[in-house]
Each structure stands twice: as structure tokens, then as C-alpha cells.
Amino acid sequence: MADRTLDLGQLQALLERVRGVTVACVGDLMLDRYVYGEVSRISPEAPIPVLSTTRRTAMPGGVGNVARNVSALGGVARLGAVAGQDAAGDELAALIAAEPGIEDVVERRAGVATIVKTRFVASGQQLLRLDEEVSAVMGEESAAFTGASVYLLSDYAKGVVSDLLVGQALKAAQKSGAPVVVDPKGRDFARYGAVDVIKPNASELAAATGVPTDSDEQVEAALEALLRQTTARAIVVTRAGRGMTLMRRGEPARHFAGRAREVFDVSGAGDTVLAALGLALGAGATLETAIEFAILASGVVVGKAGTAVVTPAELIDAEMTQHAAGAHAKVMPLDELAHVVEGWKRQGLKVGFTNGCFDILHRGHVAYLAQARGWCDRLVVALNTDASVRRLKGEGRPINDLDSRAVVIGGLASVDRVTAFDDPTPLALIERLRPDVLIKGADYTREGVVGGDLVESWGGEVRLAQFEDGYSTTGTIARLKDEA
């Protein structure tokens, strides 16, 4: 899988950049209704459940849900679609008006029936979906394209995303320079022309190309086939829990891992992906960063019921949770760590080792560990236990307990694994792990590094890393006492 391109700091910066970005959301609009209730018996008239209604909700669906997600993430959605001059259309217009980040440029037409999808739900499960729909095409060029930073075409095969509309979008994009992203339907993706991105899911990609999409290799073959069939600049395929895969014309595929989340309801998840992808591109992000943004957003929304949206606060919380989980996963006892290190060595990776208290993490620690990681392929950090720190530093230390210190250190990208030791020196760990590089601070001499002779005896090396002047845990504690 591809390396991560969006960490917590980058996510926060991107959320600032997307705020206020205008996104043209054009496509098939529908009214999504949900009827919730309880099932306690089977009908005497037929072998079907009887739903006792407890509540009803409604929201804009289709491209309307794309617009809602754009708005929820801080952008401005200019919604272009078709709806009828009927009761459902009035209800839909009122719902859109209640969304502060959506500009309504929907065509209301007599003789057109507003598309309505009604889902009946009990105990979190859909029992039935009732669709009321008639295809309708858009009339004149949509006003949604005017002044937008990115054009999103949400095709649900209901008639709005016609060849004429696609041509209008491409013509407008040629003038403005705004990227065009299509969420496609059907099998003829060539009709979308030279758009910047086509975003099918795996089953849609397989149907359009006749190539299975069960493995990475099959997905790559299907993407190559689709690029041959179309003039699109890039294809991004969504693969549910497996993440997404990107292939640009003339470039190899890049795979992006999904985020592990409990899936409650996938309704509208594709709309969330389209919204996040487009919003990031409209803010000037790279396609790779936009994909990571979309993966995070879709991972949050599938944990919600119904046609849902995701907010910046939820994205930050999800990223922090994922970050903490990743940090915890790096912390392990010596026996487990030894097996991991053996595996690294079989792959020909150079293993580095350093140790310390790392009580209050500061800039000097971060720079030290980054330098250490630069001398190896994998870096192991061994932390003194709390009792060991007290023996070294005296009563009142450590400020942070071992679990806290381990998770904080594990959260650094420069650190690959974290373990602990209670002995006066880490010699037993060094003997067990047999690192290729032993790293200590430049306040040591080569001769004073415990385990240095051992490491060199099996062909390894000892390196001394520089500390940044003015940064130390002891100094930080002293300043805090002075300020108190």
C-alpha cells in the first residue's frame, strides 16, 4: 500500500484550506426518506414482517447528499439538479434551504416528478426500499458551474448527467481550470470525455471492463483497461475496507489503505467520498492527499445510520483515534519484539536501537530520534521503567508513567517499535535483539556506550546523535517550578 500522505497536522491544515471553497455539485437529486420502527410479529396476510412506525426522517439524497457533505466539511456547495413542482419537490427545497452551506440552483419543473427513495428500517437493518423515480434531463447550462473551484458530477443514471451536461462541464472547466470529477454509472465511461477523475467503485469498475477486481493485480488490470477505453486523466476506484487505488494515465497504480472502522450503514458513502475528494482538489491539494482525505471521511460516515455527513471535528477525532491505535500497536514486550526484529532482518532491513527515559517529550527528543532513524531502516526505542527512572532521577520522577511515555514515543513516525527494561542498563535487550546500529547521544563517548563492543562484534556500528541545545526534561521541569 502507498505511504500515508495525510497526518494529523496536515489534516488540520487541509480543513482550514477547504473552508469556503465553492464546489459545483451537479447531478441526480432525490429525496431520501427513512421510516424507522419495530418489528414484533409477522403479518397474518403474508409471510412478511409488520413494521410499527416510531419516527420518520427525510434529507436530500443523490447529489443533494454530496452537497450536504461539502457543506458539513466547511465548503460551499452550489447544487445544480432537477426536481418537480410537487409536494416532494417542495419538501426537498425546504430541506436544502435549511443547509447553510448549500446554494440552491435546482431547476423546478412542471411535469417532472421528484425522485423519492423511502427506506424502512428496524433494529438498524433495512427491510425494504421503495423507489419512486422518473428520468429527467437538465435544460440550459447549469448555473452551478459559475465561479466554482471544482466540478462534481454525481451520476445516478436518472438522466441529469447527460452527454450535453458533461460537455458543458468540460467546456466550463477548460475556461476556468477547475478539475472535473465524475461518480459514474452504467458501463460506458467513455462518454464522460477527458475529465480529470472518474471514481467508480470496484463492482462498477468490473462491470465496465469485464475484468474482476478481487485483488490488487486484478484492480490494476481493470484500471489499465478502463483508461484504454476512456480519455479520462485518472481513475480512482473505491474498494470498501480495502481502501482506494489510483491510476493516472501513463503511470503505475498506487494503492491506499482503508481505515479500520465498524461499518453500520454504507448508504451514501460514495457521496461522501466524492465530496471530500472534490473539496480537497478544489482547495489545491494533490490527488493523493485528496484520496487520503476521502478515505478518512468515508471511514467515519459508514459508522453512522442512514444518509449521513461528516464534520471536521469528527475527522480530527477519527485521525487522533487512529494515531493512538497505531502508537499502541508499536508497544510490545521483548519476546514479541524479538520475533518482529528477526523478521525485519530476514527482509534485509537495518535495525537501530536506542534507549532512555523520554519523560517529557520535547523538541530535542524528536530531533534526536529523527536523526537516529536516518541511520537505519527500523528503529527500536527501549524505555526505562518507572522504577528505573526513579533510581536514575530520584523521587518525583518520572512525571509521566511508562504507559504514557510509550504511547507518546510510539506516536512518532521515526519510531517503529517501543519496549521497556528495568535493569540498570539495556545490555540484555541488546544481546537479545542484536541491532545493526546502536545509537546514543553525543554527550556519551564511544567507549562509554553500553553494549557498543557487542554490537561491533557482530558487524554492527555505534553512532552518536546530536542533541539540540537548550532542550531537556530536567530543564523543562525546572522552568515549570519557577513559573509556579
Side-chain angles (χ1 to χ4, degrees), residues 27 70 73 90 105 131 139 184 207 225 237 248 339 353 366 389 415:
V70 167
L73 287 168
D90 293 340
V105 290
D131 290 0
V237 56
R248 288 188 176 91
H339 289 298
F353 177 96
V366 174
V389 174
V415 175

Side-chain angles (χ1 to χ4, degrees), residues 109-190:
R109 275 206 224 134
V112 171
T114 301
I115 298 172
V116 180
K117 293 188 176 184
T118 305
R119 297 170 175 88
F120 299 86
V121 183
S123 302
Q125 299 294 320
Q126 286 190 32
L127 302 180
L128 177 70
R129 193 179 85 182
L130 174 64
D131 290 0
E132 304 167 72
E133 58 187 46
V134 177
S135 296
V137 296
M138 188 170 284
E140 298 178 358
E141 183 173 348
S142 176
F145 295 135
T146 305
S149 297
V150 59
Y151 306 152
L152 305 183
L153 305 184
S154 179
D155 191 356
Y156 275 78
K158 310 304 178 189
V160 169
V161 185
S162 62
D163 293 348
L164 177 62
L165 180 78
V166 171
Q168 291 171 348
L170 291 172
K171 183 178 178 181
Q174 195 171 29
K175 291 180 180 178
S176 68
V180 181
V181 184
V182 178
D183 196 347
K185 279 293 182 289
R187 296 189 177 187
D188 181 17
F189 291 179

Side-chain angles (χ1 to χ4, degrees), residues 359-380:
D359 191 359
I360 298 178
L361 191 69
H362 53 69
R363 177 175 174 175
H365 289 142
V366 174
Y368 169 83
L369 292 170
Q371 186 178 3
R373 184 58 163 77
W375 291 328
C376 57
D377 299 309
R378 298 290 185 270
L379 179 63
V380 174

Side-chain angles (χ1 to χ4, degrees), residues 5-88:
T5 60
L6 189 66
D7 61 22
L8 182 58
Q10 291 167 325
L11 172 63
Q12 291 173 314
L14 180 57
L15 287 169
E16 287 295 320
R17 287 165 58 194
V18 304
R19 188 178 300 168
V21 170
T22 299
V23 179
C25 302
V26 183
D28 297 303
L29 177 64
M30 55 202 69
L31 177 63
D32 277 353
R33 287 177 174 155
Y34 288 83
V35 179
Y36 296 93
E38 297 175 354
V39 173
S40 58
R41 64 192 180 97
I42 300 298
S43 171
E45 302 167 358
I48 56 174
V50 175
L51 181 69
S52 298
T53 304
T54 56
R55 66 186 176 96
R56 299 170 184 263
T57 62
M59 60 203 69
V63 71
N65 191 44
V66 177
R68 290 178 66 232
N69 274 276
V70 167
S71 171
L73 287 168
V76 175
R78 192 164 291 150
L79 178 58
V82 176
Q85 292 181 357
D86 50 16

